[in-house]
Amino acid sequence: MTGTLRRARGACARLTDLGYIVHRIDAHPWTTVANMHTAFAKAMSFPSYFGRNLDAFNDVHSDVARFDYGSDPASSGTVLAIAGYDTLARMDRRTAGIVLDIFAVHARLAALYAHRMLCLVESTVTDYPAVGGRPVYFGSVWDLGPDPPAPFHDEDGVENVLQIYADEATASKYVAALHPVLPDTLAAFGRWQILNLVLASECTAALYAKHRPKSPPPGTRLWEIFIGLQGSGDRTVLGDQLVHVLSDAAMHFDQLITRFYTAGTEERTQALSHYPNLRNPDDR
């Protein structure tokens, strides 16, 4: 899939929410085709013997299709999202077309393994030849306008809830791993606190499992991780940044829920009571 992805970051965030592994690559700095191969090898964990030529690129993508690397059978699928693809198209138009064709061919192979593979390419080029024998789809990914601003202020309260399926030991490790991953993102908005791990109610777990694309992994339960924040910013921006930083750290989750508590309401008072590190001296 190619086209002007005016909401590329939002598309990647939504696909991550759906359980896809998203490999984001920025082609703008490339000055040689070798730079392209190096970027792909790093993003998708190609083996050290990867030959950095189109034949080798074709070979390793057949391995990706079979979940050997760059993918995970426990995920919803694998996404390759490339920004600035015009850089390669201007540098070597033939290679730019072959790369897309290789991915399309192996995406079909992946279907035999119940592996969804998507390629999102940001490009202004409108005359690519057929990719994988099919016409190129051109357009925005979601055909939606940008989310409206959702500001919050220090007198308000914001709570983000991460939901994950895991056994108790794995869930505890996940929470421990959050502490070094989130500070830079959250501190830019204000004060924050992560609460202890909570097992979701049976009602919540049953409702979510009912609408999940596939059944929860065997031996797992639905856990919720509450992250409170008091400061100022935009809730949409905060949510997007949380998705990106967790995706970059390979910390997958099933759902991210954002709750907003308006200043002066009983809901804010009750929510804040759970976060002692966020309360001001004049809070009641």
Side-chain angles (χ1 to χ4, degrees):
M1 180 184 293
T2 185
T4 302
L5 306 186
R6 58 190 177 89
R7 298 199 66 211
R9 289 175 62 88
C12 290
R14 285 174 169 83
L15 288 166
T16 300
D17 285 345
L18 292 172
Y20 284 83
I21 296 175
V22 180
H23 301 287
R24 289 178 288 169
I25 297 176
D26 185 2
H28 289 99
W30 296 351
T31 58
T32 66
V33 172
N35 294 152
M36 176 200 75
H37 288 298
T38 298
F40 278 115
K42 180 179 179 181
M44 303 187 75
S45 303
F46 290 166
S48 59
Y49 55 80
F50 171 53
R52 286 172 167 74
N53 57 61
L54 290 176
D55 287 338
F57 188 81
N58 181 60
D59 290 341
V60 293
H61 266 80
S62 66
D63 296 333
V64 172
R66 290 190 290 263
F67 297 109
D68 289 347
Y69 35 77
S71 55
D72 184 348
S75 70
S76 298
T78 305
V79 178
L80 183 62
I82 311 173
Y85 202 68
D86 286 354
T87 301
L88 179 61
R90 288 192 297 266
M91 187 166 44
D92 189 332
R93 181 62 177 271
R94 175 178 175 273
T95 294
I98 291 175
V99 166
L100 298 179
D101 203 61
I102 287 174
F103 193 95
V105 168
H106 289 296
R108 293 179 186 172
L109 169 66
L112 298 177
Y113 301 93
H115 182 187
R116 302 182 186 91
M117 290 178 61
L118 306 175
C119 185
L120 310 179
V121 176
E122 179 190 23
S123 177
T124 60
V125 176
T126 60
D127 59 345
Y128 281 109
V131 171
R134 297 181 63 85
V136 172
Y137 172 80
F138 183 86
S140 69
V141 174
W142 296 100
D143 296 321
L144 297 173
D147 293 326
F152 63 94
H153 307 284
D154 193 59
E155 299 81 9
D156 304 315
V158 177
E159 185 175 59
N160 288 282
V161 184
L162 283 170
Q163 293 183 333
I164 62 172
Y165 276 100
D167 57 49
E168 187 169 2
T170 302
S172 296
K173 292 178 181 178
Y174 188 100
V175 174
L178 281 176
H179 288 274
V181 168
L182 296 183
D184 289 345
T185 298
L186 296 178
F189 292 90
R191 292 171 293 143
W192 58 280
Q193 182 179 358
I194 300 176
L195 298 184
N196 292 331
L197 192 67
V198 176
L199 187 64
S201 68
E202 293 184 5
C203 180
T204 298
L207 179 63
Y208 187 59
K210 179 180 179 181
H211 296 284
R212 200 170 187 266
K214 53 186 177 182
S215 299
T220 65
R221 293 187 292 177
L222 182 63
W223 299 87
E224 295 183 320
I225 305 162
F226 294 81
I227 306 169
L229 186 144
Q230 193 161 11
S232 60
D234 187 285
R235 302 194 301 277
T236 302
V237 173
L238 171 61
D240 285 346
Q241 290 189 8
L242 285 174
V243 168
H244 295 318
V245 73
L246 291 170
S247 176
D248 290 344
M251 298 187 66
H252 306 299
F253 56 91
D254 267 73
Q255 189 167 213
L256 173 63
I257 302 169
T258 299
R259 296 169 180 164
F260 173 65
Y261 304 103
T262 304
T265 61
E266 181 64 26
E267 289 80 6
R268 177 191 174 278
T269 302
Q270 291 179 354
L272 198 62
S273 68
H274 299 297
Y275 297 93
N277 295 355
L278 303 185
R279 291 202 294 264
N280 294 317
D282 56 348
D283 280 326
R284 297 180 180 179

